[in-house]
Amino acid sequence: GQQVMQIPQYQHVQEGEDFTTYCNSSTTLSNIQWYKQRPGGHPVFLIQLVKSGEVKKQKRLTFQFGEAKKNSSLHITATQTTDVGTYFCAGLDNYGQNFVFGPGTRLSVLP
Amino acid sequence: GAGVSQTPSNKVTEKGKYVELRCDPISGHTALYWYRQSLGQGPEFLIYFQGTGAADDSGLPNDRFFAVRPEGSVSTLKIQRTERGDSAVYLCASSLGDGRDTQYFGPGTRLTVL
């Protein structure tokens, strides 16, 4: 079945440094969504990417969908302590109706 | 309007007991998902409803797990003969249409099986 992997598993950065997490799927995706989960909270939707090579920006966050629609990345510029949390990608393949979540990347930001 | 709500927020039960977890989706959302999340891991898909019917239940781990959505709104996840390995946070999410729409997650029910 479809597998979604994310690297790194953990990332510790100093406030102001940049951060990137990568998401890779074993199958071609119909679309991909990114979620953020704060400690003790539930996943909150950030963005959805649909088109091959698509790039979307939300303030300091940049999301990219690979040309082959099998990988994606999330880049945060100049991290802040409010960015702390676990970032999950979730991919919908071309055959299924359910999203498969990656294991997440846990981001810690040191002030 | 109100977001997705789940009750109870916490459930402690003994091994072998039966539990029911409830999810109230956002009004008007036809799609409803159940996930299970263990500590340090991503949400694991269990079942997806489109309206009243289970469109995909391939994630249910075994026949001890069952979910219903009789009127296309509230859903109940039922676990029979609970085992310690069932301990996790059970998340419910709803979306307006299908898997291509934003999923709005509830706060989850933390299930602990002693």
Side-chain angles (χ1 to χ4, degrees), chain A:
Chain A
Q2 180 192 3
Q3 291 185 326
V4 176
M5 296 149 284
Q6 281 185 255
I7 54 170
Q9 185 177 3
Y10 301 97
Q11 185 77 57
H12 305 278
V13 300
Q14 204 73 34
E15 187 173 21
E17 292 182 338
D18 292 355
F19 160 76
T20 304
T21 173
Y22 300 92
C23 176
N24 294 286
S25 169
S26 59
T27 61
T28 301
L29 300 171
S30 171
N31 61 12
I32 195 160
Q33 295 181 350
W34 284 91
Y35 291 81
K36 177 183 178 182
Q37 186 172 23
R38 287 201 165 96
H42 57 274
V44 175
F45 175 82
L46 294 177
I47 208 159
Q48 174 170 271
L49 303 170
V50 178
K51 300 177 183 176
S52 169
E54 187 171 14
V55 178
K56 286 188 176 180
K57 293 189 175 184
Q58 288 180 351
K59 298 182 180 178
R60 295 179 294 104
L61 277 61
T62 302
F63 304 84
Q64 189 166 4
F65 202 8
E67 293 290 341
K69 299 184 75 174
K70 294 182 71 173
N71 55 69
S72 180
S73 65
L74 158 59
H75 180 82
I76 302 179
T77 303
T79 55
Q80 300 174 359
T81 54
T82 54
D83 295 327
V84 165
T86 301
Y87 293 84
F88 295 100
C89 63
L92 182 70
D93 68 23
N94 289 321
Y95 308 101
Q97 300 182 70
N98 58 286
F99 277 92
V100 176
F101 278 75
T105 295
R106 184 175 302 176
L107 173 65
S108 298
V109 180
L110 305 174

Side-chain angles (χ1 to χ4, degrees), chain B residues 59-101:
Chain B
L60 295 177
N62 51 60
D63 61 6
R64 296 187 297 106
F65 289 74
F66 190 71
V68 295
R69 196 186 185 198
E71 298 178 357
S73 178
V74 170
S75 177
T76 304
L77 178 66
K78 308 180 181 189
I79 310 174
Q80 298 177 323
R81 305 182 303 280
T82 52
E83 300 177 357
R84 292 194 179 88
D86 298 334
S87 296
V89 174
Y90 288 82
L91 294 165
C92 173
S94 71
S95 67
L96 190 59
D98 61 16
R100 289 157 183 79
D101 291 324

